[in-house]
Amino acid sequence: MKTRSVRGIAAVALATTGALALSACSGGFSSSTTQSTSKGPVKLTVMIGSSGAAETAAVKSATQAWATKTGNTVEVIAASDLGQQLGQAFASSSPPDVFYTDASKLGTYAKAGNLYAYGDQVKNAGFVDSLVKSFTYQGKFYCAPKDSSTLALEINTAMWTAAGLTDADIPKDWAGLETVAKKLTKGNVTGLVIGNDINRSGAFMKQAGGWVVSPDGKMTADAPGNLAGLQEVQKLMKEGVLKFNTDTKPATGWGGEAFGKGLAAMTIEGNWIAGGMKDYPNIKYKTVELPAGPGGKGTLTFTNCWGIATKSPHQAAAVDLVKSLITPAQQMAFADAFGVMPSTTEGLKQFAAKYPESAAFVAGAAYGQGPVNLAGLDDVMSKFNAELATLSKGGNPATMLAELQKNGKAALSGS
């Protein structure tokens, strides 16, 4: 899929799964390792999980500019399987100096001692608060958020108009969403099609005031808001106005595909949808903020940071490189090249001004919920996602959440 496609965000998150066993058992080193004080030029390696040629070229260009300015050299490695390659590297004596780190893997890598905590050295860059939280583990800010993406509601404007709907009908709450989803469902077109895991249904949980874990790292899967959110999703399914992408006919790979193929009048996707929709140039659409739930506005945030290896002998140079990559100008260059939004408030202002059609995504950055980033929950969350996919087949959300709470507490306690 092209740049800004779902793979641009999901590839890094999914690819890192294979690294867990290796990184968790590698033993790691203390994150208090002192920075290199070696003199003279150094060579840094940067490993990325790229969405495609445009992203790889943009990172190479940015790092080469820093190398030219400082007299150092940089090698950019576009990993074919970032998780597996990082896991192997962590277990070796020479991991990459700098690497993409998905927020969901922060706790795993930090607990294993693989991440150098340099966050205090970049904390004045003006990062969005929610992104800082995503890269904070046990009270320590580890690494600079490199970008951000949020979810919003995409609407097929032709279908919208044909259903007799106007801007006045844009849903502001769940009741409004139910109304328009019903009016848009006709024939083989479903009003709303979304992905079949927490990365989409979780937005409803957040809108109802819930989330999987608390800010202080406690399991809260059994909170009432989580149940209310999943019950709302299931209610829309039972009414026939919402489907998972895997339940469309024919089945589709993600919400954007269903939307692009005209099987969905609306979908819930991130700002990478712009790239994905280049495959469907005849579909005209607009993007609005997600409707609020009983707990208020809620969306999900997806992000990576520039991780620096604890074992890197060139940490000072690596931090200097990262500082050059998080300036508003450089973040806008990345946004122009492959669609991610900046991670700083100033960068987001510039992004919103240049891309007004993405205003809903920018607005969501202020209240977005980052992924679960605690160590030990990967298998638990994978199991929950598998169960969540059965929601359309009558799965019981209360049972799912109770099991998530039980399994999550056991994993966090080490039992």
Side-chain angles (χ1 to χ4, degrees):
M1 201 167 289
K2 297 180 180 179
T3 55
R4 275 195 176 186
S5 72
V6 68
R7 291 180 187 174
I9 299 301
V12 176
L14 295 176
T16 50
T17 303
L20 300 184
L22 286 169
S23 61
C25 66
S26 64
F29 285 76
S30 168
S31 61
S32 62
T33 298
T34 57
Q35 296 183 32
S36 168
T37 57
S38 61
K39 303 296 182 180
V42 301
K43 177 182 179 181
L44 298 180
T45 54
V46 178
M47 184 176 287
I48 66 174
S50 179
S51 61
E55 181 169 358
T56 301
V59 174
K60 285 184 175 180
S61 176
T63 55
Q64 181 56 48
W66 173 85
T68 300
K69 180 179 179 180
T70 61
N72 298 303
T73 58
V74 180
E75 178 188 8
V76 175
I77 302 169
S80 57
D81 186 328
L82 181 64
Q84 182 182 62
Q85 289 173 242
L86 272 180
Q88 293 169 344
F90 289 150
S92 74
S93 59
S94 56
D97 300 284
V98 182
F99 46 90
Y100 282 10
T101 299
D102 186 88
S104 66
K105 307 305 177 189
L106 180 78
T108 298
Y109 292 166
K111 185 177 181 179
N114 295 317
L115 283 180
Y116 168 56
Y118 69 92
D120 285 348
Q121 299 179 57
V122 294
K123 63 182 179 182
N124 295 325
F127 297 116
V128 175
D129 288 343
S130 62
L131 300 181
V132 173
K133 292 177 183 177
S134 290
F135 295 108
T136 298
Y137 179 70
Q138 294 186 342
K140 186 178 294 185
F141 179 31
Y142 269 82
C143 49
K146 80 176 191 69
D147 54 37
S148 63
S149 296
T150 63
L151 297 178
L153 181 70
E154 289 77 35
I155 297 170
N156 182 310
T157 51
M159 292 181 180
W160 187 265
T161 301
L165 300 169
T166 68
D167 283 352
D169 298 301
I170 291 174
K172 301 298 184 184
D173 53 27
W174 285 358
L177 180 64
E178 292 172 15
T179 297
V180 298
K182 289 176 183 177
K183 290 185 177 181
L184 291 166
T185 298
K186 183 178 181 180
N188 68 337
V189 177
T190 302
L192 177 63
V193 175
I194 64 175
N196 65 356
D197 62 16
I198 194 171
N199 291 324
R200 299 298 178 272
S201 295
F204 289 85
M205 294 161 61
K206 188 65 180 176
Q207 291 157 14
W211 189 239
V212 180
V213 296
S214 65
D216 61 351
K218 303 292 193 304
M219 288 299 300
T220 54
D222 57 356
N226 294 321
L227 179 59
L230 295 187
Q231 286 177 332
E232 177 66 15
V233 173
Q234 195 168 54
K235 173 186 176 182
L236 293 171
M237 286 178 166
K238 290 178 178 178
E239 293 175 350
V241 301
L242 184 155
K243 287 182 180 178
F244 284 150
N245 64 285
T246 46
D247 295 325
T248 59
K249 296 187 183 303
T252 45
W254 63 297
E257 182 183 349
F259 190 63
K261 289 183 174 179
L263 299 174
M266 300 183 292
T267 190
I268 294 175
E269 285 295 337
N271 37 293
W272 53 84
I273 187 86
M277 291 305 291
K278 289 180 181 178
D279 292 331
Y280 309 100
N282 295 325
I283 299 294
K284 307 303 179 185
Y285 70 99
K286 69 188 302 180
T287 303
V288 299
E289 288 183 72
L290 294 180
K297 288 186 176 183
T299 188
L300 303 184
T301 298
F302 304 90
T303 181
N304 286 273
C305 79
W306 294 106
I308 294 178
T310 303
K311 292 182 184 179
S312 170
H314 308 303
Q315 289 172 347
V319 171
D320 192 61
L321 169 61
V322 170
K323 287 180 178 179
S324 75
L325 299 174
I326 59 176
T327 64
Q330 184 53 62
Q331 291 202 334
M332 279 302 297
F334 287 148
D336 293 340
F338 56 96
V340 290
M341 296 192 304
S343 61
T344 63
T345 53
E346 176 58 32
L348 282 174
K349 288 179 183 178
Q350 295 183 22
F351 183 86
K354 188 169 185 177
Y355 299 105
E357 70 277 11
S358 294
F361 297 122
V362 175
Y367 54 83
Q369 170 66 55
V372 177
N373 68 359
L374 301 181
L377 291 184
D378 296 274
D379 289 343
V380 172
M381 294 307 299
S382 294
K383 184 176 181 181
F384 175 68
N385 279 328
E387 293 176 347
L388 196 57
T390 69
L391 206 60
S392 61
K393 300 173 177 62
N396 188 319
T399 301
M400 296 176 191
L401 291 167
E403 185 172 1
L404 175 60
Q405 178 73 13
K406 176 184 175 182
N407 293 342
K409 288 184 67 175
L412 292 179
S413 67
S415 60

